[in-house]
Amino acid sequence: MRTVVPFDPRNPNSRLSPVLDDDQRREFAAAMLADVLDAVRGAGGDPEVLATASPDIDVGVPVSVDDRSLSAAVQGEVDADLPVAVVMADLALATPESVRGLFDAGGDVALAPGAAGGTNGLVVREPGFSVDYHGASFRDHSAAAERAGLDVAVVDSFRLAVDVDDVADLVDVFVHGEGRARDWLVDAGFDLAVRDGEPVVEPNA
Amino acid sequence: MRTVVPFDPRNPNSRLSPVLDDDQRREFAAAMLADVLDAVRGAGGDPEVLATASPDIDVGVPVSVDDRSLSAAVQGEVDADLPVAVVMADLALATPESVRGLFDAGGDVALAPGAAGGTNGLVVREPGFSVDYHGASFRDHSAAAERAGLDVAVVDSFRLAVDVDDVADLVDVFVHGEGRARDWLVDAGFDLAVRDGEPVVEPNA
């Protein structure tokens, strides 16, 4: 399965800025991307990166640059060649097994929800689908499939639902991560602590 | 499968207080509980409520009251009779299928992660397991099983991972909910809107 992984090498995961500086965010984003590409390959997919600008790192897979909005750039990929999968670059918990669940879900369109209304994984097999990552994209993607007469399969996966775009999400990377993203956090001096009964990720004292 | 659903009828889901007043929070919590009990029954489970105080509503299943900490009260259930499942009361997206995934996961211990390090679903089949919901409970429960020589199965489910304890979680209830909790929000005058590209749940204008 051709699998497009949208990636912003310029200002990735900006909501992590309370704990990571700009260079750290770029390094951490590259680590998450590498984990996602591994998971896609492990699931039998052929990953390619769809970047907002030319990455200054070698990501090891074909890269195309498209500086339009995420929705427009992904729509271009959907219109170009089907079937296609789209998997977000910050799914640091993704495993070959969870990505395979997306590939094998069936449906003209398969959707893996992201937390808070998002769409973290998408497979389009038939023409006519409209991409819209703005707002509650899961709802909009379900409606777009219905308008086009396409049936939808939904993948129920926690590992695909966690997109690491917030400081609180780092807890899940620590608890459930198995790849480079977790290693990067450990090497950068972060650890899991408990404050007022709640787990938090914070720099080692 | 005997399935214990811990429930706090006094001050439930306190982090929803920015949008729901005390009475609303109690009503909404009761709606989520009813959805969870339905999902457990639909999965073939026998639900019972483990409450911190006597609920002033009829929940339609056996209720036991235990005002100790969540961990101590659940440990009491685990020590009393095995196998036992424990499913949180605020899993508003739980369906019979997702709960069945927990029941059928195998393992001496089965764990369904909650977002941010939690444990939203638990099955204990063999003695020796220690319950600890404080902090990063998923990690602690994995370690507790290992210490007791029990093998662990992990359930990868978004529907079981979303515990509605925060205003942002209401978006997922709107987008993915199919039961009383979603109906309650609609009847109470809430709707899904998009602000700065992000979905939010807010009172109708």
Side-chain angles (χ1 to χ4, degrees):
Chain A
M1 175 87 72
R2 183 169 77 99
T3 304
V4 173
V5 181
F7 179 61
D8 175 9
R10 294 173 304 188
N11 184 30
N13 308 105
S14 56
R15 278 184 288 179
L16 297 178
S17 54
V19 293
L20 302 182
D21 68 30
D22 290 3
D23 284 346
Q24 286 181 313
R25 278 194 287 121
R26 279 189 286 266
E27 288 179 25
F28 182 60
M32 291 197 289
L33 174 65
D35 285 344
V36 168
L37 297 176
D38 277 354
V40 168
R41 274 184 295 246
D46 298 310
E48 45 191 80
V49 165
L50 175 63
T52 53
S54 188
D56 56 6
I57 52 171
D58 177 10
V59 298
V61 304
V63 175
S64 57
V65 174
D66 190 328
D67 65 0
R68 293 179 294 171
S69 73
L70 175 64
S71 298
V74 170
Q75 185 72 56
E77 296 293 331
V78 168
D79 293 341
D81 192 21
L82 296 177
V84 65
V86 184
V87 174
M88 294 297 138
D90 56 356
L91 308 190
L93 308 190
T95 54
E97 192 178 13
S98 54
V99 175
R100 201 174 297 124
L102 173 67
F103 291 168
D104 293 347
D108 299 324
V109 171
L111 300 174
T119 308
N120 284 356
L122 169 68
V123 174
V124 183
R125 290 192 171 80
E126 299 294 334
F129 182 73
S130 298
V131 175
D132 182 0
Y133 281 101
H134 185 88
S137 69
F138 185 91
R139 188 184 59 168
D140 297 339
H141 286 149
S142 300
E146 193 174 343
R147 279 198 309 275
L150 305 175
D151 65 312
V152 175
V154 177
V155 184
D156 181 28
S157 169
F158 166 65
R159 287 193 170 273
L160 298 182
V162 175
D163 43 342
V164 180
D165 55 8
D166 211 318
V167 175
D169 301 323
L170 297 178
V171 170
D172 284 321
V173 180
F174 252 90
V175 173
H176 300 285
E178 300 168 1
R180 293 176 182 84
R182 186 181 194 285
D183 289 347
W184 187 91
L185 286 173
V186 172
D187 290 346
F190 289 90
D191 204 354
L192 189 64
V194 175
R195 302 277 168 226
D196 297 327
E198 300 290 331
V200 295
V201 167
E202 58 183 29
N204 272 317
Chain B
M1 175 87 71
R2 184 170 76 98
T3 303
V4 173
V5 182
F7 180 62
D8 175 9
R10 294 174 303 188
N11 184 30
N13 308 105
S14 55
R15 279 183 287 179
L16 296 178
S17 53
V19 293
L20 302 181
D21 68 27
D22 290 2
D23 284 346
Q24 287 180 313
R25 279 194 288 122
R26 279 189 285 267
E27 287 179 26
F28 182 59
M32 292 198 288
L33 174 65
D35 285 344
V36 168
L37 296 176
D38 276 354
V40 168
R41 274 184 294 246
D46 297 310
E48 46 192 78
V49 165
L50 174 63
T52 53
S54 188
D56 55 7
I57 52 171
D58 177 10
V59 298
V61 303
V63 175
S64 57
V65 173
D66 190 328
D67 65 359
R68 293 179 295 171
S69 73
L70 175 62
S71 298
V74 171
Q75 186 72 55
E77 296 293 332
V78 168
D79 293 341
D81 193 21
L82 297 178
V84 65
V86 183
V87 174
M88 294 297 138
D90 56 358
L91 307 189
L93 309 190
T95 54
E97 193 178 10
S98 53
V99 174
R100 201 175 297 122
L102 174 67
F103 291 168
D104 293 347
D108 298 325
V109 171
L111 301 174
T119 308
N120 284 356
L122 169 68
V123 175
V124 183
R125 290 190 171 82
E126 298 294 333
F129 183 73
S130 298
V131 176
D132 182 1
Y133 282 101
H134 185 89
S137 68
F138 185 91
R139 188 183 60 166
D140 297 339
H141 286 149
S142 301
E146 193 174 341
R147 278 198 310 275
L150 305 175
D151 65 313
V152 174
V154 177
V155 184
D156 182 27
S157 169
F158 166 65
R159 287 192 170 274
L160 298 182
V162 176
D163 43 341
V164 181
D165 55 9
D166 211 317
V167 175
D169 301 323
L170 297 178
V171 170
D172 284 321
V173 180
F174 252 89
V175 172
H176 300 284
E178 300 168 1
R180 293 177 183 83
R182 186 181 193 285
D183 290 347
W184 187 90
L185 286 174
V186 172
D187 291 345
F190 290 89
D191 204 355
L192 189 63
V194 176
R195 302 279 169 224
D196 298 327
E198 301 289 332
V200 294
V201 166
E202 57 182 30
N204 272 316

